[in-house]
Amino acid sequence: MPSTLAPEASTRERILAAVGFSILIPGLGHFVGERKGWAMFWFATCQITLVLGLILAGFTQLDYGRTFGVGGTNLIYFLIPEGGNFLVTQLIARMYESLEYRGDYPDAFPFRNLGYILSGMSGVLAMFSAAHAAGQALAKGHPVRSDLAKKPITPGRAAVLTLLFPGLGHWKTGRKFKAILLGGAVLGLFLLGMALGDFADFNRQRHPYYWVGQMFMGVPGWLTSLVASGRNFHAVLPYQDAGLLFTTSAGFFNVIVALDAFHRAEHDWLSSGPKSKEVEA
Amino acid sequence: MTNPIVMLLLLLVFSFVLAAVLSCYREDEKSAIIRGIFRRSLVFSVSVIGFAAVAYFTSGFVLFPA
């Protein structure tokens, strides 16, 4: 039976609290863990991108969500990926309505795509802020040895780096083969999918469900969408469906890559501690 | 109109990426990852081709309107 390293029970509780608070409000998990600088950074980044995105797109993001409740109540407004920034999305959904639904013409929002990308970024970043807060809680509960030549990166940072560029988190943990393989495979799949869809596939209005998966591609995906935002289909392309499948799958694969980067960095971190504890897997 | 050869190539590309991500998630050593990629991409692509063959013959014979 292989053995693996695991944080102590008290640290696991702190990690769970950090994740829960971060999902409620990005930065709250850091704040509770007394990382006030990071708390401000995540809070400001997630809320500014959400509000700015909603304003630029005339709150039309709300057309893609649904309310769920019991007995006629509207308990939860379900909108992905913005819902990753949970509490503020709930508040805004109750305070505003889509300007398009109210009767404005679609061409009244020239920066609609930028707005969608920004508000979607907010939700994705909020989810990754939870991973970052978890890494900070682990680092606080399990400090590494002071005699190390090179301090390992925290698991949360490895996950966030994957969002910047697929494979970057693995590269920073020293796993260069995995970094090149994963980065090349995921980014290659995404770009091949975009090419099969004539670079017009990353569009929330046309494919709102696929778009959610595409958003998890991270910074390369967001930039590609912004650069290609003016492109439209002029014919039905033969491999358009395959292109959509590839780009969306690439986004979800990137989530798996981030999870792996987190897990490997966590193992490295715990291996570098003075009081590492072996448990049976 | 799609070309079966291109569809096969796209399947092989997708199988490779899927196998690479899964193998990297399961393993951490280079040799184990490479072995895993070959095995998993073969299993996935053969399974999909099998399903496609069954669907093709079913639609052509069993479900073909008399």
Side-chain angles (χ1 to χ4, degrees), chain A residues 178-201:
Chain A
K178 282 177 94 169
I180 293 168
L181 177 64
L182 288 169
V186 173
L187 199 62
L189 187 72
F190 176 76
L191 290 175
L192 176 61
M194 288 297 288
L196 291 173
D198 202 20
F199 286 87
D201 262 352

Side-chain angles (χ1 to χ4, degrees), chain A residues 195-219:
Chain A
L196 291 173
D198 202 20
F199 286 87
D201 262 352
F202 203 137
N203 189 313
R204 191 177 206 175
Q205 287 174 281
R206 198 177 297 119
H207 310 293
Y209 301 111
Y210 288 102
W211 184 86
V212 173
Q214 291 165 335
M215 280 301 291
F216 286 101
M217 193 57 215
V219 174

Side-chain angles (χ1 to χ4, degrees), chain A residues 175 178 238-239 249 260 264, chain B residues 2-3 6 24-25 27-28:
Chain A
R175 292 170 174 82
K178 282 177 94 169
Y239 304 105
S249 301
D260 186 56
R264 306 293 174 191
Chain B
T2 54
N3 183 329
V6 178
C24 286
Y25 189 75
E27 318 286 351
D28 204 27

Side-chain angles (χ1 to χ4, degrees), chain A residues 53-152:
Chain A
L54 285 162
I55 291 170
L56 284 174
F59 295 89
T60 52
Q61 287 93 335
L62 303 176
D63 291 333
Y64 299 97
R66 295 279 184 281
T67 49
F68 288 98
V70 185
T73 57
N74 294 331
L75 281 179
I76 291 179
Y77 186 75
F78 189 71
L79 175 66
I80 46 175
E82 285 88 347
N85 187 353
F86 185 75
L87 219 52
V88 178
T89 302
Q90 299 300 313
L91 281 174
I92 288 175
R94 281 158 178 77
M95 290 164 65
Y96 297 93
E97 63 179 1
S98 162
L99 295 182
E100 199 166 74
Y101 180 73
R102 219 170 59 185
D104 285 12
Y105 285 108
D107 57 5
F109 315 110
F111 300 107
R112 181 198 294 262
N113 189 48
L114 176 61
Y116 287 163
I117 294 291
L118 284 174
S119 66
M121 270 173 63
S122 165
V124 174
L125 287 173
M127 293 177 210
F128 277 78
S129 84
H132 191 261
Q136 295 287 317
L138 176 76
K140 197 173 176 185
H142 289 264
V144 291
R145 288 193 306 273
S146 53
D147 59 338
L148 288 174
K150 192 182 173 193
K151 197 177 163 186

